[in-house]
Amino acid sequence: MLSMIAVACGGSTEEVVEEVAVEDEHDHESTLEQVQERGFLKCGVSTGATGFTEVADDGSYSGFDVDYCYAVAAAVFGDYSKVEFKQLTAAERFTALSAGEIDVLIRNTTWTQSRDTELGNDFGPTTYYDGQQLMGRKADGLSESSTLADIDGLRVCTNAGTTTEKNITEGAGLVGATIELVTVEAFSEAIDKFIAGECDIVTTDGSGLVGRRAVNDALNDWAIFPASPISKEPLGPTYRSNDSQWADIVNWTVYATIIADEYGVTRANIDSFDYEAAPEMGRLFGKNDGELQTKMGLSADAYYNVVKQIGNYDEIFSRNLNPLGLYREGSYNDYWNNGGLVYAPPAR
Amino acid sequence: MVDVIKKNIKSVQESLFSSVGSSVLTIATSYLVLNFFRGMFGFIMSSDKDWLAVLNNMQLYMVQAYPESDFIRVWISVGLTFVFSGISIGLWRSEDRSNISVIFDRFFKVGLGLLFFTIVAPTFTSYMGNDGSVITEEVFSRSTRLGILIPTLIGTVGFLVLKNVKINFSYNNSDVVFLYLFIPVVLIWFVKLPVIQLDENRDRIMPDPLMPIANTTKIPWSVIFVLFLLSYFIGIYFKDVKRLKNIMSISWFLLPLLIFSWIFKKPVIEMNEVLTGDIPIFVIFFVVGLLVVLFINNPIVKKYYSIYLGVVLVGTLAGVFISIPMLAKACLLLLSLFSMVVPAVSTSTQGKRSLIIIWLVALVTLTFLLRGGASETGIIVPGSSIFGGFSLTWLLAIFGTYVSFPLGVMLALGRNSKLPIVRIICTGIIELVRSVPYITWLFFASVTLAVFLPAGVEFNLIVRVLMVTAFFSGAYFAENIRGGLQSIPKGQYEAADAIGMSPFQKTGLIVLPQALRAVIPTLVSSAITAFKDSSLVTIIGLFDFLTIGKTVIDNQSVPVNFVGHQRENLIFVAAVYWIFTFTLSRRSMKVEKRLGLGER
């Protein structure tokens, strides 16, 4: 009995002691050094976002955001699997980042001015351009060309305490539409209410709406509008301020996937690709001296490993989001010279 | 036969339709309950529900990302629990016997219930279509209904006849557990369940084909059942060995620690640390304990006993704050507790011998468990923790109780202390912790605690949650125990003083045993509450049992597509919680009965 008490007390505090000792040494190290010494990357992801962070029945992770976690690990270690995921709720994500519990936050987080300037975070390049839209039933007379003015007098379901809620109130107020706002805790509840007929409209980021419409097989029944979203939601990686080495590593991991996409380098053709004809790709993949990467504190072939193991932007996108009915063509996420916003600075 | 029916009709009349008012109440309530059942049945059967969202994710629910290659460790953990249960049921086998007609009666009642619900179950159910129209579908056709009704009717009548035939066969009440467990174990060998199969485009083949249950599920459960049965017979065989019962009680406390620190965790043991750290500490503390036992009642040494005790106590407290090995801290705590008990017991050679054995066993256990607990895990998990799903729920519930119970005892004693400072601190902690809702404490653990801690200090979120849980349930335990302390007559304290007991002996040997015994029912209900409350961690994003049902499965898109099937999972989660808490509370009622509570 006595030993039980002692063990029980011990069980919960022993980790504490070890970690204190370890962290003290780490205090003045850069994020990269911490990550390398630890041997794995701590990546903050969502507790669940269809297509972006999913946990399969065997506990394995997949999704668009998850793939970028894997990509950063591949850049740092040359092995994508050296990553530990921390599922974070919307409320804790920034605290977890600033407290050092995670090295990078890739959790469909919208880049806003206040989050960038006030919270001690910096945002990396946007990986997915999202925007808030509304979804209603075609049977109620709504169509893809409907506008905010058409929702006058309707019941709108959304999740509480997010920018989504503020955007719709603000937007409806501007066009003079009076709406009855029904707020619930999570988007899944909002859509359940919408299906059960307890509200006429459901609103959240466009990717979420398109995804749900596809899996519910309701392409002909539900309309998503307005065509240009009522808000801008650029989603991308977030890291702590004042560590530009780490920021560069994360940023260029994203850029590397985009540049590889520009040149059409995929996981399949990466080894047969003609690097003589594309010197930029050669530089990025460390085919000559790889000085660009080694100066960043990475190995010369860091970004080769990223594309080899995870794939280029288009592969990551289509693998995770095409099955949900989200396509790049015609969206902001298309390649920059196809009219989209996906663009990377040159590697030289 | 006719008499029986008449008697039943009469009793129904008396209890349900005794007056106009009660008749109205009976009808109104039956109507509500019936409609609830019909709604529930329609919900479960409706074709827009995908129950494979539950079935397909059993592994995720139970152990989350625990690697399949190490599943043997999970089975060993479950198996050990069953073996322990088997031995315990055997050791404490009840002597009550019942006639076989009791079983027939039970089956008869189940049959009656099944008949009733088969008759009232709705034929049609409706749900909302995508376009907002109501879709009505047949979920319980006449042929299915008859297919269930006829065999059930035959069975029910059969059991009715059997229970009224005088068969001179009685069985032991403890044995019947095995009959009830035998039924599902046999069933898993014959039942076929729908399984997700993908075609070449990685789309689900619908309708899902029926497949027998996988061998990786069937065989372990069958082996565990056989072991359970064997250990039951072992328990019966050693039924009269009194000491075994004591050992078993202590083992029950140690079992979860063993499972969590060694079996489930697969610690990587570094022999270097064992040789240079564990063994010297073990030897030093064993020798100190040995000397205390042997010489404490020597008149010359005894004068310095209080000084020695003071040094050990201060050392224990100081050990919390200074950086010494974890094992040394735990041993100091153990030594201080041990030293309090020693003087009263080590008066005879017999007492000394058993004290030394106890000290040795306790130290070995402590060293062994701490080595496992403090070592790195050898399990490679593609997530954040080897604990997830049900294993995390158990970890939170069990460790929450283990840490908070002693904390509660100390807080309760402190609140009753004569020393003002101790009393004020303990009262302060209790009142502070109890006045804030548990959810707020959880947010504190997840969001705020990290900011309060000095720079560089970082706890795992699970550890932080365990910390606030320990204090939270500790405060409630403390108030329960305080109730028990107040129930002890003043004469008990005075008697202890009169025979010259020290304050420690008075508390440890007279007050606490009586106080704790008096509050066992409330302690059990607190433990059950702790088990259920562990599900609240879902709001801070820990992957416990509920989180998986609520947010994880709902997001699985390709290729299984369980998006939007949250409610099926929530019903399943509720059912599992119900089964466990119901079993726990039934067991605790039996324990209370055995201890003779409420019969004084």
Side-chain angles (χ1 to χ4, degrees):
Chain A
M1 180 78 189
L2 300 181
S3 69
M4 176 207 90
I5 297 167
V7 172
C9 298
S12 59
T13 40
E14 79 224 342
E15 266 181 71
V16 176
V17 180
E18 280 172 29
E19 295 204 21
V20 172
V22 174
E23 285 303 316
D24 276 344
E25 293 165 18
H26 280 178
D27 221 15
H28 304 292
E29 286 182 347
S30 70
T31 310
L32 179 65
E33 281 169 317
Q34 285 179 35
V35 173
Q36 279 173 338
E37 194 157 314
R38 195 193 300 128
F40 58 88
L41 172 82
K42 285 190 193 169
C43 192
V45 291
S46 165
T47 48
T50 312
F52 288 87
T53 309
E54 293 183 20
V55 184
D57 53 3
D58 59 353
S60 62
Y61 287 75
S62 64
F64 188 81
D65 284 347
V66 166
D67 276 351
Y68 272 104
C69 289
Y70 282 141
V72 175
V76 176
F77 296 107
D79 177 1
Y80 77 94
S81 67
K82 291 196 170 159
V83 53
E84 184 180 288
F85 294 102
K86 286 232 184 265
Q87 295 90 10
L88 298 166
T89 59
E92 355 167 75
R93 51 186 162 180
F94 296 118
T95 332
L97 184 64
S98 56
E101 275 180 50
I102 50 173
D103 305 311
V104 59
L105 174 73
I106 311 183
R107 189 206 174 278
N108 44 9
T109 303
T110 305
W111 184 356
T112 67
Q113 186 186 2
S114 61
R115 285 172 179 176
D116 201 356
T117 54
E118 290 169 13
L119 294 174
N121 306 321
D122 277 339
F123 284 80
T126 300
T127 49
Y128 188 91
Y129 292 91
D130 215 337
Q132 187 178 344
Q133 285 177 304
L134 292 81
M135 184 160 75
R137 286 185 200 84
K138 287 184 180 166
D140 293 344
L142 295 162
S143 68
E144 314 289 342
S145 57
S146 299
T147 61
L148 273 185
D150 296 327
I151 65 166
D152 193 27
L154 296 180
R155 293 164 301 172
V156 179
C157 274
T158 188
N159 35 340
T162 57
T163 47
T164 322
E165 188 188 349
K166 290 173 200 148
N167 290 338
I168 185 70
T169 337
E170 213 173 86
L174 282 177
V175 296
T178 42
I179 54 167
E180 187 191 324
L181 203 61
V182 184
T183 52
V184 291
E185 194 235 322
F187 172 65
S188 58
E189 287 167 44
I191 199 101
D192 279 344
K193 277 188 184 293
F194 172 72
I195 293 170
E198 287 171 48
C199 46
D200 312 300
I201 301 282
V202 61
T203 177
T204 193
D205 287 357
S207 61
L209 295 177
V210 173
R212 267 317 283 267
R213 185 172 66 171
V215 298
N216 273 52
D217 228 356
L219 208 58
N220 301 320
D221 298 315
W222 298 346
I224 294 174
F225 61 94
S228 71
I230 63 169
S231 74
K232 290 182 287 183
E233 313 281 347
L235 313 177
T238 314
Y239 31 73
R240 284 182 291 277
S241 306
N242 304 325
D243 189 344
S244 71
Q245 182 194 29
W246 183 244
D248 290 341
I249 290 170
V250 176
N251 292 358
W252 278 92
T253 305
V254 177
Y255 292 141
T257 60
I258 296 173
I259 297 170
D261 179 28
E262 279 180 31
Y263 283 95
V265 179
T266 62
R267 278 200 292 180
N269 71 6
I270 189 162
D271 288 322
S272 58
F273 189 77
D274 179 15
Y275 292 100
E276 300 292 320
E280 188 181 6
M281 280 319 304
R283 284 194 294 275
L284 188 67
F285 283 177
K287 288 294 168 190
N288 26 42
D289 57 353
E291 204 188 340
L292 288 173
Q293 280 72 244
T294 46
K295 273 187 183 165
M296 295 170 76
L298 298 174
S299 65
D301 60 351
Y303 295 124
Y304 166 83
N305 290 329
V306 169
V307 179
K308 173 79 182 165
Q309 296 178 10
I310 307 301
N312 66 29
Y313 182 83
D314 191 60
E315 285 178 282
I316 296 175
F317 193 103
S318 10
R319 182 165 64 225
N320 296 300
L321 301 176
N322 283 3
L324 296 173
L326 295 164
Y327 295 97
R328 292 181 69 192
E329 289 74 32
S331 78
Y332 297 132
N333 299 301
D334 207 346
Y335 186 34
W336 57 277
N337 50 19
N338 280 353
L341 294 172
V342 176
Y343 181 88
R348 66 168 62 250
Chain B
M1 198 77 174
V2 180
D3 289 347
V4 176
I5 293 170
K6 266 188 185 163
K7 211 174 87 192
N8 280 334
I9 289 177
K10 206 176 164 210
S11 77
V12 166
Q13 239 171 11
E14 275 169 7
S15 55
L16 297 176
F17 299 99
S18 57
S19 68
V20 180
S22 77
S23 305
V24 170
L25 257 182
T26 304
I27 291 168
T29 324
S30 322
Y31 178 76
L32 280 177
V33 170
L34 258 186
N35 264 347
F36 177 78
F37 164 74
R38 285 167 64 93
M40 186 84 176
F41 183 82
F43 176 87
I44 290 172
M45 297 300 287
S46 136
S47 67
D48 67 334
K49 302 292 174 299
D50 190 349
W51 289 93
L52 267 176
V54 175
L55 265 184
N56 194 53
N57 282 297
M58 273 308 154
Q59 185 182 330
L60 189 69
Y61 264 126
M62 293 304 148
V63 290
Q64 204 202 339
Y66 204 80
E68 217 157 331
S69 52
D70 285 302
F71 269 7
I72 184 75
R73 292 174 171 274
V74 181
W75 288 117
I76 291 174
S77 309
V78 177
L80 263 184
T81 315
F82 269 91
V83 166
F84 271 55
S85 313
I87 296 177
S88 301
I89 298 173
L91 278 178
W92 280 280
R93 188 169 185 243
S94 80
E95 294 301 331
D96 302 341
R97 298 185 76 82
S98 308
N99 193 279
I100 190 81
S101 65
V102 174
I103 290 188
F104 292 140
D105 182 53
R106 215 167 272 173
F107 280 115
F108 166 68
K109 281 174 183 157
V110 170
L112 268 191
L114 204 58
L115 271 184
F116 177 72
F117 286 120
T118 317
I119 292 167
V120 299
T123 312
F124 294 98
T125 186
S126 54
Y127 61 92
M128 276 285 185
N130 286 336
D131 54 355
S133 62
V134 178
I135 297 168
T136 305
E137 60 175 358
E138 193 181 45
V139 287
F140 201 48
S141 66
R142 173 185 289 229
S143 57
T144 337
R145 200 189 294 264
L146 282 179
I148 297 175
L149 215 53
I150 292 168
T152 317
L153 193 66
I154 296 169
T156 311
V157 171
F159 284 121
L160 179 66
V161 172
L162 277 174
K163 90 178 179 113
N164 286 308
V165 177
K166 292 272 174 289
I167 302 172
N168 204 2
F169 178 81
S170 68
Y171 65 90
N172 185 301
N173 277 350
S174 292
D175 293 345
V176 80
V177 171
F178 295 88
L179 173 70
Y180 293 141
L181 277 177
F182 186 63
I183 297 172
V185 170
V186 170
L187 275 183
I188 56 171
W189 285 91
F190 295 106
V191 166
K192 284 186 175 180
L193 292 173
V195 171
I196 289 185
Q197 300 273 306
L198 303 177
D199 61 15
E200 61 272 19
N201 300 328
R202 283 180 50 83
D203 287 325
R204 260 170 84 172
I205 298 172
M206 293 294 251
D208 302 291
L210 289 177
M211 303 273 268
I213 295 172
N215 279 338
T216 46
T217 309
K218 277 192 294 202
I219 294 171
W221 278 117
S222 308
V223 171
I224 286 173
F225 180 74
V226 172
L227 287 176
F228 185 42
L229 207 62
L230 281 179
S231 53
Y232 177 60
F233 290 124
I234 293 171
I236 295 174
Y237 186 77
F238 291 108
K239 194 169 164 43
D240 299 323
V241 187
K242 180 95 169 64
R243 187 182 289 165
L244 210 62
K245 289 190 182 179
N246 294 338
I247 293 175
M248 208 57 211
S249 308
I250 296 169
S251 307
W252 266 114
F253 280 110
L254 294 176
L255 179 68
L257 298 176
L258 177 73
I259 287 177
F260 285 133
S261 66
W262 278 86
I263 301 177
F264 202 84
K265 189 172 175 186
K266 192 183 180 185
V268 181
I269 304 298
E270 297 201 5
M271 279 322 281
N272 194 21
E273 285 176 28
V274 177
L275 291 176
T276 58
D278 293 1
I279 291 178
I281 294 174
F282 171 79
V283 171
I284 292 169
F285 277 94
F286 179 67
V287 170
V288 172
L290 197 68
L291 292 175
V292 173
V293 172
L294 291 178
F295 298 111
I296 200 70
N297 282 332
N298 181 320
I300 307 163
V301 181
K302 198 162 189 178
K303 269 190 280 184
Y304 301 102
Y305 171 68
S306 50
I307 299 175
Y308 157 76
L309 197 60
V311 169
V312 173
L313 280 177
V314 170
T316 310
L317 280 180
V320 177
F321 301 103
I322 57 174
S323 172
I324 51 170
M326 194 57 224
L327 180 63
K329 294 182 191 190
C331 285
L332 267 172
L333 180 65
L334 196 63
L335 182 66
S336 55
L337 293 171
F338 183 68
S339 304
M340 290 176 200
V341 194
V342 167
V345 190
S346 73
T347 45
S348 63
T349 325
Q350 177 68 35
K352 279 180 185 168
R353 191 184 302 153
S354 44
L355 269 179
I356 293 171
I357 294 173
I358 290 173
W359 180 236
L360 181 68
V361 170
L363 265 189
V364 168
T365 318
L366 181 68
T367 316
F368 179 72
L369 288 177
L370 260 188
R371 176 47 38 212
S375 298
E376 293 277 316
T377 172
I379 306 262
I380 300 145
V381 187
S384 51
S385 163
I386 60 165
F387 295 106
F390 216 53
S391 63
L392 178 65
T393 298
W394 278 115
L395 179 82
L396 290 174
I398 289 175
F399 269 80
T401 316
Y402 271 30
V403 184
S404 61
F405 180 71
L407 191 70
V409 172
M410 282 190 259
L411 284 174
L413 290 175
R415 198 172 181 170
N416 271 17
S417 161
K418 288 196 183 71
L419 305 168
I421 295 176
V422 175
R423 196 172 59 231
I424 289 169
I425 292 175
C426 289
T427 313
I429 292 176
I430 293 175
E431 294 305 330
L432 172 73
V433 171
R434 285 203 318 157
S435 326
V436 177
Y438 185 50
I439 294 192
T440 316
W441 280 118
L442 285 178
F443 275 122
F444 176 77
S446 108
V447 183
T448 324
L449 201 57
V451 182
F452 282 4
L453 293 169
V457 180
E458 182 195 338
F459 296 152
N460 189 310
L461 180 59
I462 295 179
V463 178
R464 296 207 300 261
V465 167
L466 279 175
M467 279 160 67
V468 296
T469 310
F471 271 96
F472 189 77
S473 28
Y476 276 91
F477 274 130
E479 285 302 277
N480 289 339
I481 293 164
R482 195 165 68 96
L485 290 176
Q486 279 167 351
S487 74
I488 293 169
K490 215 177 172 195
Q492 297 280 327
Y493 291 88
E494 287 166 355
D497 287 336
I499 57 170
M501 280 188 158
S502 72
F504 290 121
Q505 291 172 335
K506 188 169 69 180
T507 313
L509 302 174
I510 306 290
V511 179
L512 269 186
Q514 298 187 64
L516 293 182
R517 187 172 177 273
V519 292
I520 283 178
T522 33
L523 291 185
V524 170
S525 80
S526 292
I528 291 176
T529 313
F531 172 68
K532 286 186 296 177
D533 279 359
S534 70
S535 65
L536 285 172
V537 299
T538 185
I539 53 160
I540 54 167
L542 275 186
F543 263 49
D544 84 317
F545 193 56
L546 176 62
T547 317
I548 288 175
K550 188 167 175 284
T551 53
V552 176
I553 296 174
D554 190 34
N555 281 303
Q556 291 176 343
S557 62
V558 185
V560 288
N561 191 11
F562 294 142
V563 179
H565 295 288
Q566 189 191 47
R567 283 175 291 191
E568 294 91 315
N569 284 291
L570 289 179
I571 287 180
F572 167 73
V573 169
V576 171
Y577 270 111
W578 182 80
I579 290 171
F580 273 91
T581 36
F582 184 70
T583 320
L584 274 176
S585 69
R586 294 298 289 216
R587 289 311 306 172
S588 77
M589 274 161 72
K590 292 224 167 94
V591 172
E592 279 163 31
K593 219 184 222 169
R594 193 178 300 137
L595 289 170
L597 283 172
E599 289 174 12
R600 285 188 291 173

